[in-house]
C-alpha cells in the first residue's frame, strides 16, 4: 500500500562503516502535521466547551466581573470588601497566603463564584423564557403585551453568536402531561372513528385505566421524568427502532431525492465529489460547532442533539437489540460500485482533498475492471434482511481476520457513497413515461436489496447520469435533521463549488495520491448461503413496494394561503377526504410533528383524523350541503388540526405518553387492556411533511429549480399508505405515496389521484 511507505519516519542499517540512517522528511512532516491537527482539534473542543458551558455569558465575561469586583474593592465599597473578606476567612487555608496575596486570591475566587452564579441565573432565566408557549396559540398578527415583553426578554437572554450546542443546557425538559389530560385528548381523537357503542366501550376502558393501573404507572413515569433530560427519547430509540428484529430496509429507513428540475452535471464522479465535499463541510461545521442552531421564528432555538451522530455512525446488529456506535474520527468514506467495496481517503497527510482530486479518486473506482470477490457482490444484503441472521453471521464470520478489517472500514467510515450503475431521470414535459420518478424513488428507498449499506447513518447514492439522493437510517436522527444536512450539501454543490462547462469539478487537482483501496473478503459457502437468504428476504420486501410520486403542480402554497389557512392543515384535511374516497371509511392517521423545542426532543404524533375532519368529509360527499356549510366545516377541521399540532409541539400529545406508560407496564409486568388495545391499533395512513429552507444558502424564490423533490418512506401498515410531502415553493407540492402490492385494498397511483382531486375540490370551494 502506498500509505505504508510514509508510515516510517526513518530507516537505519548497520554496516562495517557504522550506522547508516536514512531520514524520510516527508514522513516526519506527515507525523508533525498529524500531531498538529490533533492538537488543533483538542483546542477547538476546549474552546467550544468553554463557550457552551458559559453561554449565554462568555468566558471573557469572567474578566469583566473580576474587573468590577476589583474596582469596588479599590473604591472601598463596603459590601464588596465584606464579601471578599468572608471568602478569605472561609475558603482559604489559614496562614497559607500572606497579605496582600491572600486578598488577591480571595478576590479571584469570589469573582469566579459570582460569575458562575450570574451564568446560572441567566441560564435558568433563559430556560424559563424558553418554556413560554402562549405565543404559539395566539392568532397571527394579534400578539399580546405579555408575548411582546417575552420576545424582548428572550432576545436579550439568548445571547449573541451561539454555537451549535450553546442552548442545550437552557432548553426546557419535555413536560409530562397529566393522566387526565392525555385520556381526555385520546378520547377526543377517536371520536370520529368509533360509533356510539364503540365509543362507550372505549370510554369504559379509559375510566378503568384511570381508576386502577394508570396512576401507578404515572407515578413511575414521573420518577423517570424527574431523573432524565427527556422521558421519551431513549425508550423511543430503543424500543421503536433498535429492538425491532425485522428488516430496516423500507420498514425503517427513508430516502431523500435530488433537485429534479435541474442537473448541474452529467458526470457521476464529479457529482459524487462535490456532494461528498458538501457533506464533509457540514460535518466540519458540526465538529467545530460553527453550524448555527435552527431557530423557530428566528427566536426560539431547537434542540441540536440529533446532529451529533449524523456522521461516523453505524448500526450494529444484535440478537435481542441493535446498538448505535459513533466513532469520533473518520478520514475516509466507504464506496460501493458494481458489487465491490472500497476505502477512499478524503484526507491524506493532514490535507483535505479538493473536489477535483476526489473526482479522480471516484473515477478510479468507476474505471477499475477488477471483478467482485467471491460472494462479495450481494454482501450488503445482510443489512437489508432480518436482523438476527445478520447478528449471528457478524459474530461468526466478521469477528477476526480480513473480514473484520474490511467490515471495520465500512462501519468507521464517515458515510457510504454508492456509485450506482443505473440512470434515473425526471420528464418535466410529461411526454415520456410518468413512472420515471416512481423508479427513481424506489431505487433510493431500497435499490436492488444488496447495493446499499442500510446500517450506515446514511448512503449518498449517485447515479451514472449525475442524479443523486440519500438513504437514511432512522434510529439516530429524524428526517428534518437529515433534510438539513442534504439541503446544505446540495447548496454547496450548486452555489458554492459548481462545475466547469464540460461538467468536471472546479479547482486544482494534484496527482500522485494513493488510489482507493479495494476491500477484501473471505466468504465461505455457509456465509454465502446466509447472504442469499437475506437477499431473498430483501427481494420479497422490495418487490412488494408500490411507490408513486405525485407532482402536484396545479397549485401550491401560494393558492392555499389565499384560503387563509395553514398549508399543512389544508393538505392533511385533503388527505382525509382522499382516504375516505379511496377506502370508503376513516382510519387512524399519523402525522409526525417535532418536539425539538425541548431538550433531546424527537417527534410526537398529531392525529389528523378528528370528529371535525370527519364531519367536513361527510359534508363534501353530501349533495345537500351548501358551499357555505362546507367552508364552515373545513374551517373547523383546520382549526382543530392546527391546535392539535401546536399541542404536540408543546409536549401535550397523546401517543408518546401512552407509549411510555406501556413500557412502564412491561417493566412492572402489569397487563393493561386499554394500553394493549391502543398501542396495537394500526396506522393505515402515515404521513409526514419534509422540512426545507433550513439553511439560507438556497434562494428558492429566485431559483425554485434548486429545491429538492423531498423524500419518502415505506407504508407502516400492510394495508395502509405512507405519504411524505414537501411544499416546494409557491406553486408545487410533491407527494411520495407508498403502499404494498400484496394488499388488495391499496393502490398508490389511485390514492395519489384521490389526493389531487381532493386538493382541487377544496380549492374550488374558495373560487369566486
Amino acid at each position: 500500500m502506498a500509505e505504508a511507505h510514509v508510515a516510517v519516519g526513518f530507516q537505519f542499517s548497520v554496516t562495517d562503516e557504522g550506522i547508516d540512517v536514512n531520514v524520510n522528511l516527508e514522513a516526519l512532516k506527515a507525523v508533525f502535521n498529524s500531531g498538529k491537527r490533533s492538537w488543533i482539534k483538542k483546542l477547538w473542543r476546549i474552546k467550544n466547551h468553554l463557550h457552551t458551558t458559559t453561554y449565554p455569558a462568555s468566558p471573557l465575561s469572567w474578566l469583566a466581573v473580576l474587573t468590577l469586583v476589583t474596582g469596588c474593592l479599590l473604591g472601598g465599597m463596603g459590601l464588596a470588601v465584606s464579601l471578599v473578606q468572608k471568602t478569605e476567612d472561609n475558603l482559604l487555608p489559614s496562614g497559607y497566603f500572606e497579605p496582600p496575596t491572600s486578598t488577591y486570591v480571595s478576590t479571584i475566587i469570589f469573582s469566579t463564584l459570582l460569575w458562575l452564579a450570574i451564568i446560572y441565573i441567566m441560564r435558568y432565566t433563559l430556560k424559563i423564557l424558553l418554556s413560554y408557549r402562549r405565543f404559539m396559540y395566539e392568532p397571527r398578527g394579534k400578539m399580546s403585551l405579555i408575548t411582546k415583553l417575552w420576545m424582548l426578554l428572550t432576545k436579550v437572554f439568548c445571547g449573541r453568536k451561539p454555537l451549535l450546542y450553546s442552548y442545550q443546557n437552557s432548553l426546557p425538559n419535555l413536560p409530562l402531561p397529566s393522566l387526565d389530560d392525555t385520556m381526555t385528548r385520546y378520547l377526543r381523537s377517536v371520536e370520529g372513528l368509533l360509533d356510539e357503542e364503540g365509543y362507550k366501550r372505549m370510554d369504559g376502558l379509559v375510566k378503568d385505566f384511570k381508576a386502577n393501573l394508570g396512576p401507578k404507572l404515572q407515578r413511575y413515569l414521573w420518577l423517570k421524568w424527574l431523573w432524565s433530560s427527556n422521558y421519551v427519547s431513549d425508550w423511543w430509540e430503543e424500543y421503536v427502532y433498535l429492538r425491532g428484529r425485522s428488516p430496516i430496509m423500507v420498514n425503517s429507513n427513508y430516502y431523500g431525492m435530488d433537485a429534479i428540475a435541474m442537473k448541474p452535471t452529467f458526470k457521476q464522479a464529479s457529482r459524487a465529489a462535490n456532494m461528498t465535499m458538501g457533506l464533509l463541510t457540514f460535518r466540519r461545521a458540526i465538529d467545530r460547532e460553527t453550524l448555527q442552531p435552527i431557530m423557530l421564528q428566528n427566536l426560539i432555538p431547537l434542540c441540536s442533539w440529533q446532529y451529533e451522530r449524523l456522521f461516523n455512525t453505524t448500526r450494529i446488529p444484535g440478537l435481542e437489540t441493535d446498538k448505535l456506535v459513533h466513532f469520533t474520527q473518520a478520514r475516509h468514506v466507504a464506496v460501493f460500485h458494481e458489487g465491490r467495496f472500497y476505502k477512499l481517503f478524503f484526507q491524506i497527510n493532514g490535507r483535505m482533498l479538493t473536489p477535483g482530486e476526489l473526482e479522480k479518486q471516484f473515477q478510479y473506482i468507476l474505471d477499475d475492471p477488477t471483478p467482485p470477490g467471491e460472494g462479495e457482490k450481494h454482501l450488503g444484503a445482510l443489512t437489508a434482511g432480518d436482523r438476527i441472521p445478520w447478528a449471528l453471521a457478524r459474530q461468526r464470520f466478521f469477528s477476526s481476520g480480513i473480514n473484520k478489517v474490511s467490515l471495520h472500514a465500512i462501519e468507521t467510515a464517515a458515510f457510504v457513497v454508492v456509485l450506482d450503475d443505473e440512470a434515473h431521470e425526471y420528464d418535466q414535459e410529461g411526454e415520456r413515461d410518468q413512472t420515471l420518478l416512481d423508479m427513481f424513488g424506489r431505487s433510493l428507498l431500497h435499490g436492488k436489496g444488496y447495493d446499499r449499506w442500510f446500517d450506515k447513518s446514511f448512503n449518498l447514492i449517485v447515479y451514472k447520469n449525475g442524479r443523486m439522493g440519500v438513504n437514511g437510517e432512522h434510529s439516530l436522527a429524524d428526517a428534518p435533521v437529515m433534510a438539513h444536512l442534504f439541503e446544505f450539501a446540495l447548496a454547496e454543490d450548486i452555489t458554492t463549488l459548481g462545475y466547469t462547462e464540460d461538467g468536471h469539478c472546479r479547482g486544482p487537482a494534484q496527482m500522485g495520491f494513493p488510489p482507493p483501496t479495494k476491500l477484501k473478503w473471505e466468504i465461505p459457502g455457509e456465509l454465502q448461503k446466509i447472504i442469499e437468504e437475506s437477499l431473498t428476504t430483501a427481494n420479497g420486501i422490495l418487490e412488494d413496494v408500490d411507490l408513486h410520486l405525485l407532482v402536484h403542480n396545479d397549485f401550491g402554497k401560494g393558492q392555499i394561503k389565499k384560503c387563509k389557512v395553514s398549508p399543512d392543515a389544508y393538505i392533511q384535511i385533503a388527505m382525509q377526504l382522499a382516504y375516505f374516497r379511496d377506502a370508503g371509511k376513516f382510519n387512524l392517521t399519523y402525522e409526525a410533528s417535532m418536539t425539538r423545542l425541548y431538550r433531546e426532543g424527537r417527534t410526537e404524533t398529531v392525529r389528523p383524523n378528528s370528529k371535525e375532519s370527519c364531519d367536513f368529509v361527510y359534508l363534501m360527499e353530501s349533495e345537500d350541503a351548501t358551499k357555505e356549510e362546507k367552508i364552515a366545516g373545513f374551517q373547523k377541521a383546520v382549526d382543530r388540526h392546527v391546535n392539535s399540532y401546536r399541542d404536540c409541539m408543546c409536549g401535550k400529545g397523546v401517543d408518546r405518553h401512552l407509549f411510555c406508560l406501556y413500557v412502564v407496564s412491561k417493566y412492572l409486568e402489569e397487563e393493561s387492556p386499554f394500553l394493549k388495545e391502543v398501542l396495537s391499533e394500526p396506522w393505515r395512513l402515515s404521513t409526514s411533511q419534509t422540512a426545507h429552507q433550513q439553511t439560507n444558502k438556497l434562494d428558492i424564490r429566485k431559483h425554485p429549480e434548486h429545491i429538492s423533490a423531498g423524500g419518502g418512506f415505506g407504508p407502516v401498515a400492510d394495508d395502509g399508505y405512507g405519504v411524505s410531502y414537501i411544499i416546494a415553493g409557491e406553486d408545487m407540492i410533491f407527494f411520495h405515496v407508498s403502499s404494498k402490492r400484496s394488499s388488495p385494498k391499496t393502490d398508490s397511483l389511485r390514492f395519489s389521484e384521490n389526493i389531487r382531486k381532493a386538493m382541487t375540490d377544496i380549492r374550488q370551494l374558495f373560487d369566486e
Side-chain angles (χ1 to χ4, degrees), residues 581-593:
R581 289 171 173 174
D582 187 88
K585 60 179 181 178
F586 297 109
N587 260 309
L588 269 180
T589 306
Y590 182 110
E591 181 188 8
S593 107

Side-chain angles (χ1 to χ4, degrees), residues 162-188:
L163 296 178
L164 179 60
Y165 303 120
S166 291
Y167 294 115
Q168 290 300 101
N169 293 325
S170 300
L171 289 173
N173 289 358
L174 183 69
L176 177 64
S178 70
L179 200 61
D180 285 341
D181 285 349
T182 297
M183 295 301 103
T184 300
R185 289 193 182 94
Y186 172 76
L187 285 174
R188 193 176 177 191

Side-chain angles (χ1 to χ4, degrees), residues 550 552 555-557 560 565-579 589 591 608 616 634 638 641-642 685 687-690 723-729 732-736 751 754-756 758-760 762:
L550 168 63
H552 186 277
F555 61 93
K557 182 173 65 174
I560 292 174
V565 298
S566 155
D568 180 74
Y570 184 106
I571 293 169
Q572 285 291 335
I573 302 306
M575 282 197 285
Q576 289 300 309
L577 176 58
Y579 186 85
T589 306
E591 181 188 8
F616 166 68
F634 177 69
V638 165
H641 179 79
V642 170
L685 180 55
T687 70
S688 178
Q689 181 182 171
T690 301
V723 183
S724 176
Y725 54 95
I726 182 171
I727 302 171
M732 187 177 292
I733 304 170
F734 290 97
F735 291 89
H736 300 245
F751 187 51
N754 278 324
I755 292 174
R756 185 192 295 275
M759 295 277 288
T760 301
I762 294 175

Side-chain angles (χ1 to χ4, degrees), residues 185-200 202 576 579-580 585-590 607-615 618 640 655 678 681-685:
R185 289 193 182 94
Y186 172 76
L187 285 174
R188 193 176 177 191
S189 73
V190 297
E191 218 174 345
L193 293 170
L194 303 175
D195 57 22
E196 185 176 352
E197 183 179 343
Y199 186 82
K200 285 183 179 178
M202 184 56 68
Q576 289 300 309
Y579 186 85
F580 184 82
K585 60 179 181 178
F586 297 109
N587 260 309
L588 269 180
T589 306
Y590 182 110
R607 292 174 166 236
N609 181 275
S610 62
K611 185 178 184 301
E612 290 81 357
S613 68
C614 293
D615 289 344
Y618 289 136
R640 170 67 193 281
D655 291 277
V678 169
E681 294 170 340
W683 301 98
R684 290 194 171 90
L685 180 55

Side-chain angles (χ1 to χ4, degrees), residues 150-430:
W150 164 79
M151 289 183 67
L152 179 63
L153 290 172
T154 303
K155 287 180 180 178
V156 171
F157 279 91
C158 268
R160 298 172 60 228
K161 298 181 180 179
L163 296 178
L164 179 60
Y165 303 120
S166 291
Y167 294 115
Q168 290 300 101
N169 293 325
S170 300
L171 289 173
N173 289 358
L174 183 69
L176 177 64
S178 70
L179 200 61
D180 285 341
D181 285 349
T182 297
M183 295 301 103
T184 300
R185 289 193 182 94
Y186 172 76
L187 285 174
R188 193 176 177 191
S189 73
V190 297
E191 218 174 345
L193 293 170
L194 303 175
D195 57 22
E196 185 176 352
E197 183 179 343
Y199 186 82
K200 285 183 179 178
R201 175 180 166 278
M202 184 56 68
D203 186 53
L205 288 175
V206 167
K207 288 178 179 177
D208 177 71
F209 181 72
K210 285 169 61 177
N212 296 296
L213 183 59
K216 178 181 178 180
L217 302 181
Q218 181 77 352
R219 285 193 294 271
Y220 277 97
L221 190 56
W222 178 81
L223 290 174
K224 185 177 190 295
W225 173 83
L226 200 65
W227 180 254
S228 60
S229 54
N230 190 297
Y231 78 94
V232 176
S233 293
D234 57 338
W235 281 354
W236 188 254
E237 180 178 296
E238 179 180 358
Y239 293 106
V240 172
Y241 294 115
L242 298 180
R243 280 187 178 264
R245 301 295 82 202
S246 59
I248 62 175
M249 183 193 75
V250 176
N251 297 321
S252 179
N253 284 31
Y254 54 90
Y255 69 88
M257 187 175 282
D258 200 357
I260 60 173
M262 59 162 291
K263 188 192 292 183
T265 181
F266 292 86
K267 295 187 179 296
Q268 186 175 17
S270 303
R271 195 76 195 277
N274 265 11
M275 282 299 297
T276 297
M277 182 59 66
L279 292 166
L280 292 174
T281 302
F282 194 84
R283 187 185 79 152
R284 185 180 185 184
I286 293 175
D287 290 343
R288 294 192 171 188
E289 300 181 26
T290 55
L291 186 70
Q292 292 294 300
I294 300 293
M295 306 291 283
L296 186 67
Q297 298 183 358
N298 293 320
L299 184 66
I300 311 300
L302 300 185
C303 178
S304 301
W305 163 66
Q306 294 181 54
Y307 289 87
E308 294 179 7
R309 300 180 297 183
L310 278 179
F311 294 89
N312 322 340
T313 303
T314 195
R315 178 169 175 161
I316 304 294
L319 295 179
E320 295 183 357
T321 182
D322 293 354
K323 64 179 180 179
L324 289 172
V325 178
H326 176 70
F327 302 92
T328 56
Q329 297 289 337
R331 296 187 298 115
H332 71 279
V333 292
V335 184
F336 179 88
H337 176 59
E338 293 187 345
R340 304 161 301 171
F341 288 92
Y342 294 83
K343 183 177 183 180
L344 188 159
F345 283 93
F346 52 76
Q347 190 179 77
I348 298 177
N349 292 339
R351 183 175 78 79
M352 290 288 294
L353 269 61
T354 66
E357 291 160 352
L358 283 172
E359 179 185 349
K360 292 183 181 299
Q361 297 286 71
F362 283 119
Q363 193 61 50
Y364 173 89
I365 294 173
L366 292 171
D367 296 338
D368 186 3
T370 308
E374 187 177 359
E376 180 183 10
K377 182 177 181 180
H378 296 159
L379 183 64
L382 290 171
T383 67
D386 291 312
R387 304 305 291 174
I388 292 178
W390 172 209
L392 292 171
R394 191 178 189 278
Q395 291 177 3
R396 184 176 175 187
F397 298 103
F398 296 88
S399 58
S400 62
I402 197 168
N403 285 354
K404 181 179 180 180
V405 173
S406 295
L407 180 62
H408 186 71
I410 296 175
E411 293 179 339
T412 59
F415 51 91
V416 171
V417 179
V418 177
L419 299 175
D420 205 292
D421 55 2
E422 294 181 350
H424 289 283
E425 198 48 86
Y426 166 54
D427 179 19
Q428 297 187 57
E429 304 301 325

Side-chain angles (χ1 to χ4, degrees), residues 647-675:
D647 284 344
C648 290
M649 288 183 66
C650 296
K652 295 186 287 187
V654 171
D655 291 277
R656 298 301 178 269
H657 186 196
L658 293 179
F659 162 75
C660 289
L661 290 171
Y662 180 75
V663 173
V664 173
S665 74
K666 289 301 177 183
Y667 276 119
L668 298 178
E669 298 182 346
E670 298 273 10
E671 288 294 327
S672 167
F674 167 70
L675 291 176

